[in-house]
């Protein structure tokens, strides 16, 4: 039985785009994002076959050029090399529905606990193939994450979707991306998290279809009264089990078993340092901007206004102590305090894309020259997540928190050095050592005991708005039976002495977060290890960690490309 609200949404869609009813029986809603809703539709083909399609209904406030660019990516690069193709497009007034072959898939969060090493290797291999392909066309996807790389575990099918944030390289072959390149992305606040809500409500007024820009005139105009679809070459899927209602049920039942993200975050709205039942690492990081392409005061103050954050952005080119913005003199520059002027500033809305946890360092530091390497970084984050069995691994709603989380794994000195290479200065209050990737992944997987206690960290400055507690949790979900996330401060894991990783999820976030991994039912440690070994987790070769290291190269200039990564020894048999 379909949920009542889904029925209503389907009715609304039929009303908004009536010609859909002539072609499709819309069965269910299969995806709901901030910028679109995706439905499952069944169509009777000319030859009598029934075929399934995914109907992506874009929010009416989407910019016509943006929509056209998304479509053009699909038409230019889609339909091969594990990139989703497009079958059709319907438009009525400001409503656009992109029709794609439906690919049944499993959410990574649902299967991460049971994936074998070989499945992970193949997943990354096919993701890299898709990336190599789109990068050849000069398309930067900008939102590479498991939700946008559909995976059917049973049929071993893969498809890269969602070009809603794509941008072009300087020499892109996608004409409309040349236009999008100069335009701040409307979908700029990250595709998950609270920022989206703000973005949506602030969406610029829609340009009526009749008065669209030159570029938008190339939007495909489907016949208003189309009744049949061109025969599709896509594979058909007979199963239609994907139900949002059952998804929701899963989310709720899985909640208690939720393996928390390795990195969580504190309530960002609170300026009070987190309660420390354990000695918690305190890191204060600042990002000093070397370039002059943005307003440093805005950047800094936006972060500061959100509470205790690990990273601050500041401009080294400006005089310390005083910064002038919009006629207001700020006195907190380069200090630990946040002045009232900064407190009352609006949160920054900058053209930026992607999901914080998957953003490359050059994106997080707002480096103006971003290329295809940013997608490769995101692929690296996915590989790290899959090898360590944690999803999401980086959970940050803010770029600055995300940067600190990266430093915790890749090292602060290394990050600072890489940032210097692309013109950004990052300052970190303490030295965060680079982690050995194998040790890290095996520890998170529960294959190794957590290392001994780390060097005690400097005490938190309780008055400091920039104090933060970047942490990793050590309770491997399969080894620790479900713990109620709300009991976090008394959690045995975080109280265990000598643990390097301590958990710090925000419990509230979990209840509403559909992107949090849940693993199979807890089993005993030995049980678990045997099963893990069966899945090949005892034989992960060094090449896997070597590739991971290359994907997660902090410097985009030296980071491996997707094409090079496919030549990596890890894939020599493929
Ligand atoms: P958004 O821009 O809102 O994120 P996406 O294009 O990523 O939209 O689609 C949202 C979700 O809808 C995807 O994560 C996926 O679960 C589902 N989806 C999208 N396209 C397809 C497709 N062709 N087949 C099956 N499911 C799809
Ligand atoms: Mg998406
Ligand atoms: Zn200030």
């Amino acid at each position: 039985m379909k949920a009542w609200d889904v029925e209503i949404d389907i009715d609304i869609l039929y009303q908004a785009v009536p010609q859909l009813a002539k072609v499709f029986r819309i069965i269910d809603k299969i995806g709901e994002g901030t910028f679109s809703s995706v439905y499952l539709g069944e169509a009777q083909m000319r030859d009598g076959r029934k075929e399934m399609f995914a109907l992506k209904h874009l929010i009416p406030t989407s910019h016509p050029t943006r929509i056209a660019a998304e479509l053009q990516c699909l038409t230019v690069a889609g339909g091969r090399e594990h990139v989703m193709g497009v079958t059709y497009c319907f438009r009525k007034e400001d409503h656009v529905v992109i029709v794609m072959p439906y690919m049944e898939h499993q959410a990574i969060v649902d299967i991460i606990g049971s994936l074998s090493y070989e499945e992970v290797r193949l997943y990354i291999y096919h993701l890299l193939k898709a990336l190599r392909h789109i990068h050849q066309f000069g398309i930067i996807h900008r939102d590479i994450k498991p939700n946008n790389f559909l995976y059917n575990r049973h049929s071993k099918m893969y498809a890269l979707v969602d070009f809603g944030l794509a941008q072009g390289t300087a020499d892109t072959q996608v004409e409309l991306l040349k236009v999008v390149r100069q335009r701040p992305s409307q979908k700029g606040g990250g595709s998950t998290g609270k920022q989206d809500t703000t973005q949506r409500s602030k969406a610029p007024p829609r340009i009526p279809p009749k008065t669209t820009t030159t570029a938008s005139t190339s939007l495909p105009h489907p016949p208003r009264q189309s009744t049949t679809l061109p025969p599709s070459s896509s594979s058909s899927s007979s199963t239609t089990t994907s139900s949002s209602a059952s998804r929701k049920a899963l989310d709720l039942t899985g909640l208690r078993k939720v393996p928390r993200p390795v990195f969580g975050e504190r309530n960002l709205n609170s300026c009070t340092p987190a309660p420390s039942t354990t000695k918690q690492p305190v890191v204060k990081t600042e990002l000093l901007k070397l370039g002059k392409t943005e307003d440093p005061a805005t950047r800094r103050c936006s972060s500061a206004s959100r509470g205790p954050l690990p990273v601050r952005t500041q401009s080294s080119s400006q005089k310390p102590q005083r910064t002038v913005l919009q006629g207001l003199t700020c006195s907190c520059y380069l200090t630990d305090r946040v002045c009232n002027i900064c407190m009352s500033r609006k949160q920054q809305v900058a053209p930026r894309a992607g999901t914080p946890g998957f953003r490359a360092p050059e994106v997080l530091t707002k480096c103006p020259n971003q290329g295809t390497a940013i997608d490769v970084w995101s692929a690296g984050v996915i590989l790290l997540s899959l090898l360590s069995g944690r999803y999401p691994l980086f959970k940050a709603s803010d770029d600055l928190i995300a940067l600190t989380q990266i430093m915790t794994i890749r090292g602060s000195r290394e990050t600072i050095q890489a940032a210097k290479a692309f013109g950004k200065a990052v300052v970190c209050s303490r030295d965060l050592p680079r982690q050995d990737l194998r040790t890290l992944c095996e520890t998170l997987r529960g294959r190794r005991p957590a290392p001994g206690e780390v060097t005690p960290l400097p005490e938190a400055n309780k008055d400091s708005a920039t104090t933060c507690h970047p942490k990793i949790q050590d309770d491997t979900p399969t080894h620790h039976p479900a713990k109620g996330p709300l009991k976090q401060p008394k959690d045995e894991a975080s109280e265990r002495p000598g643990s390097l990783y301590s958990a710090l999820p925000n419990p509230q976030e979990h209840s509403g977060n559909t992107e949090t991994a849940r693993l199979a039912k807890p089993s005993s440690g030995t049980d678990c290890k045997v099963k893990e070994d069966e899945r090949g987790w005892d034989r992960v070769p060094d090449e896997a960690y070597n590739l991971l290291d290359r994907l997660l190269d902090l410097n985009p200039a030296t980071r491996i490309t997707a094409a090079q990564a496919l030549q990596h020894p890890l894939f020599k048999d493929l």
Side-chain angles (χ1 to χ4, degrees):
M1 256 264 297
K2 257 175 297 200
W4 182 67
D5 49 349
V6 171
E7 301 268 15
I8 292 174
D9 286 352
I10 292 173
D11 274 350
I12 292 171
L13 178 58
Y14 278 134
Q15 277 164 36
V17 192
Q19 61 267 47
L20 285 176
K22 302 211 161 97
V23 189
F24 299 104
R25 187 171 69 87
I26 302 174
I27 297 166
D28 202 356
K29 190 187 258 189
I30 51 176
E32 164 115 65
T34 308
F35 305 96
S36 77
S37 296
V38 181
Y39 297 86
L40 174 68
E42 184 190 61
Q44 178 98 45
M45 307 308 281
R46 284 197 188 109
D47 61 6
R49 277 177 310 123
K50 280 192 174 148
E51 219 168 280
M52 297 303 220
F53 293 89
L55 313 179
K56 180 170 177 173
H57 179 212
L58 301 163
I59 58 157
T61 49
S62 306
H63 194 287
T65 311
R66 189 64 262 180
I67 298 172
E70 177 169 0
L71 267 168
Q72 210 171 51
C73 289
L74 291 166
T75 51
V76 169
R80 57 221 145 106
E81 295 286 309
H82 314 292
V83 179
M84 181 55 71
V86 58
T87 312
Y88 223 75
C89 181
F90 288 85
R91 179 174 75 90
K92 193 195 168 203
E93 290 157 6
D94 50 356
H95 291 273
V96 175
V97 175
I98 299 175
V99 179
M100 299 164 274
Y102 171 70
M103 190 185 127
E104 204 194 347
H105 58 281
Q106 291 84 43
I108 285 295
V109 286
D110 293 334
I111 59 170
I112 191 166
S114 62
L115 284 176
S116 69
Y117 163 68
E118 184 60 9
E119 285 175 303
V120 167
R121 186 175 78 111
L122 291 172
Y123 180 95
I124 291 298
Y125 177 74
H126 290 99
L127 173 60
L128 288 167
K129 273 188 115 168
L131 289 183
R132 176 179 64 184
H133 181 68
I134 63 161
H135 291 170
Q136 276 167 358
F137 287 93
I139 300 171
I140 311 170
H141 185 281
R142 296 201 69 99
D143 200 14
I144 296 298
K145 57 178 176 180
N147 284 5
N148 289 336
F149 190 58
L150 311 186
Y151 172 45
N152 187 321
R153 187 181 196 178
H154 313 294
S155 62
K156 298 264 170 278
M157 285 189 9
Y158 310 83
L160 182 60
V161 298
D162 197 355
F163 288 85
L165 288 173
Q167 284 186 343
T169 58
D171 56 348
T172 183
Q173 291 170 42
V174 180
E175 286 303 314
L176 286 171
L177 287 185
K178 291 177 183 159
V179 183
V180 170
R181 231 176 112 70
Q182 283 115 46
R183 223 177 251 285
S185 162
Q186 188 197 331
K187 198 178 168 179
S191 52
T192 56
K194 295 159 218 155
Q195 286 163 317
D196 285 347
T197 332
T198 341
Q199 292 278 318
R200 183 187 230 162
S201 57
K202 281 183 193 161
R206 172 187 63 85
I207 298 173
K210 286 276 162 358
T211 57
T212 50
T213 58
T214 327
S216 66
T217 55
S218 31
L219 236 179
H221 290 271
R224 295 265 159 143
Q225 300 296 327
S226 56
T227 48
T228 47
L229 280 168
S232 166
S233 56
S234 69
S235 61
S236 62
S237 175
S238 52
T239 31
T240 59
T241 47
S242 177
S243 140
S244 54
S246 63
R247 272 275 167 80
K248 266 174 206 152
L250 265 175
D251 288 343
L252 295 173
T253 51
L255 199 60
R256 279 200 216 159
K257 297 168 195 163
V258 163
R260 284 174 290 267
V262 176
F263 287 101
E265 58 193 42
R266 296 274 177 209
N267 180 359
L268 299 178
N269 297 316
S270 157
C271 283
T272 330
S276 52
T277 46
T278 55
K279 256 228 153 66
Q280 301 194 326
V282 176
V283 179
K284 182 179 149 191
T285 314
E286 293 179 13
L287 174 64
L288 304 164
K289 193 178 116 308
L290 296 176
K292 284 181 182 160
T293 51
E294 63 182 52
D295 183 338
T298 319
R299 180 87 186 103
R300 165 176 57 100
C301 293
S302 71
S303 63
S305 65
R306 298 189 63 193
L309 288 177
V311 185
R312 295 179 73 188
T313 49
Q314 296 185 333
S315 166
S316 58
S317 59
Q318 304 216 353
K319 276 186 226 120
Q321 313 303 343
R322 275 185 120 68
T323 303
V324 179
L325 179 85
Q326 291 161 355
L328 293 173
T329 306
C330 161
S331 57
C332 68
Y333 182 64
L334 278 180
T335 69
D336 279 350
R337 297 172 297 107
V338 181
C339 71
N340 285 337
I341 294 168
C342 291
M343 282 305 240
S344 59
R345 282 179 219 272
K346 275 210 208 104
Q347 196 190 315
Q348 180 205 24
V349 180
R352 179 186 60 183
T355 307
F358 295 93
R359 284 187 193 134
E362 67 270 26
V363 179
L364 297 171
T365 55
K366 310 190 102 207
C367 177
N369 310 314
Q370 297 172 17
T372 51
I374 69 169
D375 291 341
V376 173
W377 173 276
S378 307
V381 174
I382 297 177
L383 179 57
L384 176 59
S385 176
L386 296 178
L387 289 177
S388 56
R390 303 298 188 97
Y391 182 82
L393 189 95
F394 295 122
K395 186 164 160 40
S397 62
D398 187 281
D399 284 354
L400 306 176
I401 292 175
L403 190 61
T404 305
Q405 294 178 345
I406 287 172
M407 285 196 281
T408 309
I409 285 180
R410 301 302 280 159
S412 52
R413 252 185 259 182
E414 291 81 354
T415 306
I416 289 163
Q417 203 188 335
K420 211 170 165 184
F422 53 79
K424 297 284 175 178
V426 175
V427 176
C428 188
S429 65
R430 70 178 287 261
D431 193 39
L432 301 166
R434 189 185 189 105
Q435 309 271 325
D436 173 70
L437 293 170
R438 179 188 284 276
T439 310
L440 176 74
C441 292
E442 290 181 353
T443 305
L444 293 171
R445 229 168 224 292
R447 305 194 61 85
R448 280 172 194 255
E453 188 156 23
V454 287
T455 333
L457 296 159
E459 270 294 336
N461 174 1
K462 291 218 159 44
D463 300 318
S464 167
T466 56
T467 300
C468 85
H469 311 265
K471 273 177 238 86
I472 317 172
Q473 75 180 59
D474 75 339
D475 53 334
T476 301
T478 42
H479 288 231
H480 294 275
K483 278 175 280 201
L486 286 160
K487 297 183 188 94
Q488 192 48 46
K490 299 235 183 277
D491 201 309
E492 65 167 80
S494 51
E495 284 182 349
R496 192 183 311 135
S499 65
L500 170 62
Y501 311 107
S502 46
L504 68 163
N506 181 344
Q508 268 91 34
E509 268 168 33
H510 281 280
S511 48
N513 188 351
T514 53
E515 282 195 33
T516 304
R518 51 197 93 96
L519 295 195
K521 66 170 185 281
S523 53
S524 80
T526 342
D527 250 23
C528 184
K529 185 152 188 317
V530 171
K531 280 191 192 131
E532 282 253 307
D533 290 357
E534 278 168 13
R535 295 189 206 111
W537 289 108
D538 57 337
R539 301 179 296 276
V540 180
D542 287 340
E543 282 88 13
Y545 296 106
N546 177 275
L547 176 65
L548 178 60
D549 182 59
R550 297 290 296 111
L551 296 170
L552 292 180
D553 186 334
L554 294 155
N555 183 355
T558 50
R559 192 175 303 149
I560 198 168
T561 64
Q564 289 164 349
L566 288 166
Q567 303 298 317
H568 192 275
L570 181 65
F571 305 126
K572 60 176 179 283
D573 60 316
L574 294 172

